[in-house]
Amino acid sequence: VMTFNLRRASVFDGPDAWKYRRGRAAEAIRAGNPDFVGTQEASCAMMRELAAMLPDFGWLGEGRRGGERDETNAILYRNDRWVPAEAGTFWLSGTPGRPGSRGWGALLPRICTWALFRSRQDPGMLFAVFNAHLDHVSRLARRLGAALAAERLLELRRRTGAPAALTGDFNAAPESEPLLLLTRPPYDLINVYEAYPGGPGAVGPTYHGFRGRGFGGPIDGIFATPDCAVEAVAVDRNKYGGRYPSDHF
């Protein structure tokens, strides 16, 4: 499982604009060899361009203002290994079913896209991915948005028995309140950075603004249900084609 903020397409990024780095992003995904990738910030047009370079992957998701409008939290999945059995998007607000809704002081509409996948090889094997992008301004929106995503994840797990991962750009460090709450009852999710050599405090920044260095802790991460075995975790800080594929590692 991978989480990857792709950075929206912006003409102000100059040599790091999407049209120049989409191939780098595809190469980074191939290098990670994931079954699932929770992406953030990409438009539907960006996802179609990326998927065209990744023929082994399908994708699903919608824009945060509904349909194809605005950024997505699209999920890429290996279509030779997995089939989506259920999928959807909800808004991180007091009205989760209303497209474009904002909640709890969030500057922008924030969404969580989710899917329940069935293994092609073993139809009895299920796995779920929830993929969120929390608000960068409101602390309350981060806390309540993370809780809503975790509640929906656990609801699906209780109904289907499927193990699950929550990927995302959380705009918060592992020791912050919204993310610490995810590791406590009633959620009891595993922060995969616990498997990082030295623990979460040793991970370092995951946002770097195309500079290759940042500050603070990781704001991108993955949480998993306790029935998942987290054997290893890594942050890909490599360049591809001499430049970074995104402003996040």
Side-chain angles (χ1 to χ4, degrees):
V1 179
M2 175 187 286
T3 188
F4 193 3
N5 184 319
L6 292 167
R7 168 68 178 173
R8 67 185 184 275
S10 173
V11 295
F12 299 108
D13 287 342
D16 291 311
W18 174 249
K19 64 180 180 180
Y20 300 122
R21 61 183 174 81
R22 56 194 173 196
R24 300 175 219 151
E27 189 176 351
I29 291 170
R30 284 192 293 267
N33 191 30
D35 279 51
F36 307 102
V37 187
T39 72
Q40 301 87 38
E41 292 199 15
S43 65
C44 288
M46 288 172 62
M47 290 305 302
R48 284 191 287 268
E49 292 173 347
L50 187 60
M53 293 180 279
L54 296 168
D56 291 335
F57 285 85
W59 69 277
L60 51 86
E62 68 174 294
R64 62 187 179 189
R65 299 185 193 275
E68 295 205 355
R69 292 180 295 169
D70 213 338
E71 297 175 5
T72 71
N73 281 3
I75 298 171
L76 283 158
Y77 61 94
R78 281 290 297 260
N79 55 25
D80 57 337
R81 299 175 184 166
W82 300 93
V83 178
E86 301 177 27
T89 293
F90 56 90
W91 275 257
L92 303 180
S93 74
T95 52
R98 195 176 81 197
S101 59
R102 291 182 294 148
W104 313 305
L107 182 66
L108 298 163
R110 296 295 184 179
I111 58 176
C112 181
T113 291
W114 64 274
L116 176 68
F117 295 94
R118 189 179 299 278
S119 168
R120 287 188 182 274
Q121 184 176 3
D122 178 3
M125 181 185 293
L126 300 172
F127 191 78
V129 178
F130 282 64
N131 178 41
H133 190 177
L134 301 184
D135 197 64
H136 64 301
V137 172
S138 169
R139 183 179 302 175
L140 180 63
R142 287 193 290 274
R143 178 166 61 84
L144 296 182
L148 178 57
E151 286 165 9
R152 292 288 184 94
L153 182 154
L154 292 185
E155 285 174 11
L156 183 70
R157 181 167 175 257
R158 284 192 291 266
R159 178 168 62 85
T160 66
L166 170 62
T167 60
D169 175 354
F170 301 117
N171 275 311
E175 67 274 11
S176 66
E177 182 191 27
L179 302 192
L180 284 177
L181 288 174
L182 296 180
T183 65
R184 298 169 179 164
Y187 312 118
D188 294 318
L189 299 180
I190 301 167
N191 180 350
V192 303
Y193 284 134
E194 295 294 339
Y196 194 87
V203 176
T206 57
Y207 171 78
H208 61 94
F210 294 113
R211 297 184 298 273
R213 51 184 170 78
F215 60 89
I219 62 172
D220 306 272
I222 302 172
F223 290 80
T225 51
D227 47 358
C228 294
V230 183
E231 296 179 352
V233 60
V235 179
D236 183 355
R237 293 186 166 89
N238 294 312
K239 291 181 177 180
Y240 293 87
R243 301 188 74 90
Y244 292 104
S246 177
D247 60 345
H248 288 239
F249 291 126

